[in-house]
């Protein structure tokens, strides 16, 4: 069976290419650097948070310099993650609003799991699952920030009664659990759909990948703008028509 990411990706003269295939820019350098800052801070927060959550996991605090440093750094890293995540929210909010196609996509979740994408409604830049994850992350991030401020002893906790601090501690752990699960799903989905990780690493996706997984976004994004990172040394202006296709994706 042909690879769905490469099938129909024969480059035509005049198209921006990478490794000889027409490509579309999915994420700019700023988008990717912002994403990876959030990813790195998330890992640091997950490790330090788990270290403080249960004595059996306290050994993880060694990765941040021991218990005292873990307790000091955790909230500051949390603020950094929230700020950079907020930038991503502003940047991608309009791509993640739900529409009727998303509702139908969720109703056909069996086709999604079975990879029968030809039977699904047209998907834009993100599918319904990615959009729901986006909002789950927003809710978790806001919950972690607010509860974290309440239990941040060095600066804010003295403003709140002990009952509020205890409730905030429980909610902070709950939102932490939710966001860890959400990120695990995010990573699994990125690995499951071949080509997704490459988009966040290199910034570009092949025309075939985009047409198969996000046809609505592909129509709006074609023709691709000239890419300084394209492998060919000649960068003619892309033509307005899509490249020739060898075959349609399999059912």
């Amino acid at each position: 069976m042909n690879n769905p990411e490469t099938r129909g990706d024969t480059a035509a003269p005049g198209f921006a290419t990478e490794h000889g295939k027409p490509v579309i820019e999915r994420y700019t350098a700023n988008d990717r650097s912002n994403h990876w800052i959030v990813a790195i801070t998330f890992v640091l927060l997950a490790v330090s948070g788990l270290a403080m959550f249960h004595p059996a996991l306290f050994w993880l605090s060694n990765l941040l310099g021991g218990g005292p440093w873990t307790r000091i750094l955790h909230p500051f890293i949390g603020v950094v993650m929230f700020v950079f995540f907020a930038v991503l929210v502003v940047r991608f909010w309009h791509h993640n609003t739900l529409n009727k196609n998303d509702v139908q996509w969720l109703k056909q979740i069996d086709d999604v799991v079975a990879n029968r994408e030809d039977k699904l409604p047209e998907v834009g830049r993100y599918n319904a699952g990615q959009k729901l994850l986006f909002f789950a992350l927003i809710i978790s991030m806001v919950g972690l920030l607010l509860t974290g401020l309440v239990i941040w002893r060095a600066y804010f906790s003295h403003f709140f009664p002990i009952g509020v601090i205890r409730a905030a501690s429980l909610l902070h752990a709950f939102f932490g659990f939710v966001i860890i699960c959400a990120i695990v799903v995010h990573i699994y989905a990125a690995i499951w759909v071949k080509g997704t990780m490459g988009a966040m690493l290199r910034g570009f996706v092949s025309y075939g990948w985009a047409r198969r997984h996000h046809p609505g976004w592909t129509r709006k994004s074609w023709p691709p703008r000239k890419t300084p990172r394209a492998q060919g040394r000649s960068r003619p202006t892309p033509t307005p028509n899509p490249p020739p296709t060898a075959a349609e994706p399999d059912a």
Side-chain angles (χ1 to χ4, degrees):
M1 181 181 293
N2 292 332
N3 188 330
E5 293 177 35
T6 59
R7 182 172 52 246
D9 277 5
T10 304
F15 284 94
T17 64
E18 189 173 59
H19 303 298
K21 302 172 186 177
V23 293
I24 303 175
E25 184 176 45
R26 187 157 174 82
Y27 298 110
T28 66
N30 286 338
D31 294 336
R32 300 196 309 277
S33 59
N34 201 328
H35 170 274
W36 289 115
I37 289 174
V38 173
I40 292 170
T41 52
F42 166 78
V43 171
L44 294 176
L45 286 168
V47 168
S48 57
L50 290 171
M52 293 185 287
F53 179 75
H54 195 277
L57 299 173
F58 185 73
W59 60 273
L60 290 171
S61 65
N62 293 321
L63 299 175
L64 277 81
W69 273 113
T70 297
R71 193 176 187 84
I72 292 170
L73 293 175
H74 182 85
F76 286 104
I77 297 173
V79 172
V80 172
M81 182 177 73
F82 184 86
V83 170
F84 279 91
F85 180 76
V87 174
L88 288 179
V89 170
V90 172
R91 171 72 177 83
F92 294 106
W93 177 272
H94 65 290
H95 293 300
N96 285 278
T97 54
L98 293 169
N99 54 48
K100 61 181 182 180
N101 279 2
D102 296 320
V103 175
Q104 184 59 37
W105 188 93
L106 292 171
K107 291 180 179 178
Q108 296 180 232
I109 195 66
D110 55 331
D111 290 325
V112 176
V113 175
N115 206 29
R116 295 190 290 263
E117 297 188 16
D118 57 305
K119 296 183 179 181
L120 296 172
E122 186 175 78
V123 175
R125 178 156 187 158
Y126 298 108
N127 61 45
Q130 292 170 312
K131 292 178 180 180
L132 291 179
L133 180 65
F134 177 78
F135 288 108
L137 291 175
I138 291 176
I139 294 172
S140 298
M141 286 281 192
V142 173
L144 286 169
L145 177 69
L146 296 179
T147 56
L149 290 175
V150 172
I151 63 178
W152 196 347
R153 289 193 176 278
Y155 300 100
F156 303 106
S157 65
H158 58 277
F159 291 116
F160 303 95
I162 188 63
V164 173
I165 294 174
R166 289 171 177 170
S169 298
L170 290 175
L171 286 173
H172 196 77
F174 170 76
F175 286 120
F177 173 77
V178 171
I179 200 170
I180 289 174
C181 291
I183 294 299
V184 169
V185 172
H186 175 60
I187 295 172
Y188 176 79
I191 296 173
W192 180 36
V193 181
K194 186 178 178 182
T196 302
M197 287 291 292
M200 191 50 74
L201 290 171
R202 299 186 301 274
F204 295 91
V205 294
S206 70
Y207 174 80
W209 183 95
R211 184 189 60 183
R212 177 179 175 86
H213 300 296
H214 302 274
W217 172 72
T218 305
R219 284 190 297 98
K220 295 178 181 179
S221 302
W222 197 267
R225 66 186 179 87
K226 290 186 289 185
T227 65
R229 296 175 64 256
Q231 195 173 30
R233 295 293 176 263
S234 177
R235 311 271 196 273
T237 301
T239 59
N241 299 315
T245 58
E248 291 300 317
D250 296 337

